[in-house]
């Protein structure tokens, strides 16, 4: 199964916390690009991760050439054409930057959007940035929308302050673009609040098409009512996966396991097989990215993408 | 030259059989020793004979001409040759007979390690040649049966280890009894139409993700 995202990286502040260094990454078969990336560092406002740090919100870069992107030649060789950088802040302080890189295959449907308010309309969200693969029509429609709090994926995430996963988005009453999404082949979506610093709110939406899903499975983990353990609130994949469901019945203690570490440190993690030759029989779930959703310095949820 | 196995190997000399008692393709690897009697004897027995010298392209040549049996007649096998024979044994095993004059115990041990079917020191008796070949082939076939059985047993043992590990994960994370863990594993495997061993690997891999 092909996924929409080709490369996932975590860039973390170095020991002086003045520049970003490579944390971990999933590169699939893109060995040369991986080799080119592992020794990179990014100063504040430098390259895609540094830019997201400086801007303080997620950014989408749909064209690398003649841009601030630092690995243009390597990305071109690897067939990567677009980058999305999501900074993870706890208050003023950057914990990490998650970078997704996508390619421009012909069969490449899906969307990753950044929503925010702007000065003229503080009560409504609009698409600030977005990458839509081959869904140009859906992109044109999406960029015209203004959504209030409580409507659409981003509006619901805004209202609740929590990640929102809708698994049959083309039929969802709450998803304003349901008809257009259906037409574009989009089957599920997740909206995630992503800023924990002063200023306008920002939300990421990941819209997944069946042929090229954003991830093979997406989970939302939240602290229980006592704040003692993480529980899985929701898990979704195109095909049901009872093995994944067994592990979603677990509770996770702070500091224990990958998700427990995300809770403990406020840092995103990548686990699993980082090598390209993983066993395809392993239910196709060979690696995981877990991103914390932080509000006022506290963990609200963890969103895990299983690839 | 009346027939060739492989027209792409011009350095190979092919010899016509004098009788048609045997239909096996024998590849004779020449050395500096005189092989005239050996060749005549093989031809008399009706073997289809190709001969060549040992070169770095040995493994590629074997792959190309696929003989039924390989015979060496030499003083002593080089390390490189023994390494190649070991590789051949791992990739596409064949009966190999080696007539040598080196009776050094290290050489014998290395030849045995390379799974040579018959290593015969100073024992090239042309009258016994057919018997030597037949015994080598029988021994090779028996070795292959044992090898497959060993691989199968190792795979089963590995599966058992993986299953025990997967059951332990399910017992620990799900508070299952051992019986429940086994039945869960079996149901997951049946639903996916894969073996218990493969399913155990899935469970282990999934638990690794959350480690």
């Amino acid at each position: 199964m092909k996924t929409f995202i080709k490369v996932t990286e975590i860039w973390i502040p170095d020991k002086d916390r003045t520049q970003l260094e490579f944390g971990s990454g999933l590169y699939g078969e893109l060995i040369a690009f991986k080799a080119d990336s592992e020794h990179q560092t990014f100063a504040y406002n430098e390259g895609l991760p540094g830019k997201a740090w400086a801007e303080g919100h997620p950014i989408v870069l749909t064209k690398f050439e003649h841009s601030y992107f630092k690995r243009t030649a390597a990305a071109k060789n690897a067939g990567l054409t677009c980058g999305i950088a999501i900074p993870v802040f706890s208050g003023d302080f950057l914990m990490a930057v998650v970078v997704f890189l996508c390619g421009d295959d012909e069969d490449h449907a899906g969307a990753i959007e950044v929503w925010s308010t702007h000065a003229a309309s503080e009560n409504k969200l609009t698409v600030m940035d977005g990458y839509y693969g081959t869904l140009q029509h859906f992109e044109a429609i999406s960029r015209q929308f203004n959504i209030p709090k409580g409507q659409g994926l981003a509006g619901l995430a805004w209202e609740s302050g929590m990640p929102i996963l809708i698994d049959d988005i083309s039929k969802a009453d709450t998803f304003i673009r349901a008809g257009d999404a259906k037409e574009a082949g989009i089957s599920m979506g997740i909206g995630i609040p992503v800023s924990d610093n002063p200023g306008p709110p920002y939300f990421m939406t990941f819209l997944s098409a069946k042929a090229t899903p954003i991830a093979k499975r997406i989970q939302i983990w939240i602290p229980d009512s006592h704040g003692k353990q993480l529980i899985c609130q929701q898990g979704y994949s195109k095909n049901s996966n009872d093995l994944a469901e067994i592990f979603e019945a677990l509770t996770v203690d702070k500091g224990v396991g990958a998700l427990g570490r995300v809770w403990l440190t406020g840092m995103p993690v990548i686990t699993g097989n980082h090598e390209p030759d993983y066993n395809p029989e392993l239910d196709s779930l060979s690696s995981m990215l877990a991103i914390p959703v932080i509000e006022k310095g506290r963990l609200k949820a963890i969103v895990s993408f299983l690839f | 030259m009346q027939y060739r196995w492989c027209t792409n190997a011009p350095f190979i000399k092919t010899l016509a059989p004098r009788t048609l008692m045997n239909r096996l393709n024998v590849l004779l690897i020449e050395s500096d020793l005189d092989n005239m009697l050996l060749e005549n004897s093989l031809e008399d027995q009706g073997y289809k004979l190709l001969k060549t010298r040992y070169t770095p392209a040995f493994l590629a040549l074997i792959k190309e001409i696929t003989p039924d049996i390989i015979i060496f007649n030499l003083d002593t096998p080089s390390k490189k040759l023994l390494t190649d024979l070991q590789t051949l044994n791992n990739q596409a095993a064949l009966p190999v007979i080696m007539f040598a004059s080196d009776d050094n115990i290290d050489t014998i041990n290395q030849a045995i390690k390379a799974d040579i079917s018959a290593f015969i020191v100073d024992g090239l008796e042309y009258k016994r040649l057919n018997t030597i070949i037949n015994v080598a082939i029988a021994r090779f076939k028996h070795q292959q049966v044992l090898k497959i059985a060993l691989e199968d047993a190792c795979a089963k043992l590995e599966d058992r280890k993986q299953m025990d590990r997967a059951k332990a994960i399910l017992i620990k994370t799900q508070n299952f009894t051992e019986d429940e863990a086994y039945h869960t594993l079996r149901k997951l495997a049946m639903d996916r139409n894969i073996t218990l061993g493969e399913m155990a690997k899935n469970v282990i891999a999934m638990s690794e993700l959350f480690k």
Side-chain angles (χ1 to χ4, degrees):
Chain A
M1 189 199 297
K2 288 202 297 184
T3 51
F4 191 66
I5 296 163
K6 309 284 182 207
V7 168
T8 305
E9 299 171 326
I10 296 175
W11 296 90
I12 54 173
D14 67 1
K15 62 179 170 33
D16 299 326
R17 301 191 79 86
T18 54
Q19 60 176 4
L20 295 169
E21 62 185 16
F22 180 78
S24 54
L26 298 169
Y27 293 86
E29 292 170 357
L30 304 178
I31 308 291
F33 187 75
K34 180 186 180 189
D36 224 58
S37 303
E38 283 171 335
H39 304 292
Q40 293 273 350
T41 55
F42 297 96
Y44 186 74
N45 207 23
E46 183 191 23
L48 183 59
K51 194 81 176 170
W53 183 9
E55 297 279 325
H57 60 74
I59 48 178
V60 178
L61 187 59
T62 51
K63 206 173 180 186
F64 292 153
E65 279 183 10
H66 312 297
S67 75
Y68 51 79
F69 193 76
K70 272 178 75 180
R71 296 169 284 167
T72 304
K76 192 177 178 184
N77 288 337
L80 301 168
T81 55
C82 168
I84 300 107
I86 306 169
V88 178
F89 281 97
S90 180
D92 285 342
F93 305 104
L94 182 81
M95 309 304 287
V97 177
V98 177
V99 171
F100 296 114
L101 300 170
C102 304
D104 252 353
D105 305 344
E106 271 182 27
D107 181 17
H108 195 66
I112 300 177
E113 302 166 315
V114 182
W115 293 80
S116 187
T117 56
H118 53 75
S121 164
E122 287 184 359
N123 298 321
K124 290 195 170 172
L125 296 171
T126 54
V127 172
M128 308 298 288
D129 249 335
Y131 176 63
Y132 295 84
T134 52
L135 303 181
Q136 287 94 350
H137 180 64
F138 185 73
E139 175 175 7
I141 290 164
S142 301
R143 286 185 185 275
Q144 291 167 14
F145 268 97
N146 288 294
I147 56 171
K149 205 177 256 192
Q151 286 193 24
L153 266 177
L156 285 166
W158 190 12
E159 186 179 58
S160 64
M162 294 290 287
I164 301 289
L165 192 156
I166 301 177
D167 64 3
D168 197 352
I169 205 160
S170 62
K171 291 180 190 157
D173 297 338
T174 44
F175 189 60
I176 301 170
R177 297 171 288 166
D180 303 305
K182 188 177 181 183
E183 215 170 277
I186 287 169
S187 52
M188 70 79 69
I190 182 166
I192 308 171
V194 284
S195 54
D196 188 40
N197 50 9
Y202 282 87
F203 304 90
M204 296 296 306
T205 53
F206 294 85
L207 306 176
S208 196
K210 275 188 177 163
T212 49
I214 295 289
K216 287 166 188 157
R217 192 167 181 86
I218 296 177
Q219 302 164 333
I220 298 173
W221 295 79
I222 55 168
D224 66 9
S225 53
H226 306 291
K228 298 282 183 199
Q229 289 183 310
L230 288 176
I231 51 172
C232 184
Q233 185 191 51
Q234 214 172 343
Y236 171 81
S237 52
K238 189 179 82 171
N239 303 315
S240 70
N241 188 323
D242 41 5
L243 175 59
E245 284 164 17
I246 283 178
F247 284 87
E248 285 161 10
L250 297 177
T251 51
V252 177
D253 292 333
K254 191 181 265 192
V256 177
L259 297 167
R261 282 200 305 281
V262 176
W263 191 6
L264 183 73
T265 62
M267 305 271 283
V269 298
I270 286 173
T271 62
N273 196 337
H274 296 211
E275 305 306 322
D277 56 344
Y278 71 87
N279 186 347
E281 288 164 359
L282 299 178
D283 265 351
S284 302
L285 298 176
S286 61
S287 46
M288 177 177 79
L289 164 72
I291 305 176
V293 177
I294 300 169
E295 187 186 86
K296 293 179 183 158
R298 298 194 68 84
L299 184 91
K300 293 278 287 190
I302 295 171
V303 178
S304 57
F305 296 84
L306 282 77
F307 300 106
Chain B
M1 290 199 290
Q2 293 191 344
Y3 63 85
R4 299 177 72 88
W5 296 348
C6 173
T7 52
N8 294 334
F11 52 90
I12 292 177
K13 297 166 224 165
T14 62
L15 301 166
R18 291 180 188 166
T19 63
L20 290 172
M21 286 159 61
N22 274 299
R23 279 297 189 185
L24 292 178
N25 297 322
V26 174
L27 178 65
L28 176 63
I29 309 294
E30 294 180 297
S31 64
D32 294 332
L33 302 180
D34 180 8
N35 284 326
M36 184 64 79
L37 283 172
L38 177 58
E39 285 169 19
N40 289 343
S41 185
L42 287 166
E43 286 161 26
D44 286 344
Q45 302 289 337
Y47 290 102
K48 288 196 254 176
L49 184 63
L50 291 183
K51 51 181 198 167
T52 186
R53 292 186 82 87
Y54 173 70
T55 70
F58 174 70
L59 290 174
L61 176 72
I62 302 296
K63 201 175 168 188
E64 198 173 343
I65 65 176
T66 60
D68 297 312
I69 188 162
I70 306 171
I71 297 178
F72 290 87
N73 185 23
L74 36 67
D75 277 330
T76 184
S78 66
K79 273 190 178 167
K80 175 79 174 76
L81 169 60
L82 289 167
T83 308
D84 273 355
L85 288 175
Q86 213 155 10
T87 309
L88 178 70
N89 188 51
N90 293 334
Q91 289 175 354
L94 282 171
V96 174
I97 297 171
M98 191 171 278
F99 295 104
S101 43
D102 182 359
D103 62 355
N104 184 293
I105 191 69
D106 283 348
T107 310
I108 294 168
N109 282 338
Q110 283 175 41
I112 297 298
K113 250 188 188 174
D115 261 345
I116 288 171
S117 314
F119 186 78
I120 296 153
V121 179
D122 288 336
L124 181 44
E125 289 176 31
Y126 301 105
K127 279 187 216 162
R128 289 178 51 221
L129 189 58
N130 201 38
T131 310
I132 290 170
I133 290 174
N134 286 337
V135 170
I137 290 171
R139 182 171 160 69
F140 170 78
K141 283 180 181 166
H142 183 61
Q143 274 176 332
Q144 292 309 300
V145 170
L146 291 179
K147 196 174 157 189
I148 290 165
L150 180 64
E151 282 169 0
D152 193 39
C154 286
K156 278 185 182 150
L157 186 64
E158 187 55 31
D159 275 1
R160 176 59 65 92
K161 278 188 197 166
Q162 303 276 15
M163 277 164 56
D164 285 347
R165 219 178 129 197
K167 277 195 297 183
I169 289 166
L170 292 174
I171 289 166
K172 191 177 168 193
T173 59
Q174 308 292 312
N175 288 327
F176 283 162
T177 62
E178 185 166 359
D179 206 35
E180 285 168 336
Y182 175 75
H183 281 98
T184 302
L185 205 56
R186 197 173 65 172
K187 185 180 180 309
L188 289 167
M190 281 168 67
D191 290 348
R192 287 164 173 73
N193 201 20
I194 58 176
T195 65
L196 270 172
E198 286 167 337
M199 194 61 234
K201 281 183 199 159
N202 285 358
V203 172
I204 294 163
M206 185 66 86
S207 78
E208 294 286 326
L209 287 187
F210 292 97
K211 256 190 177 175

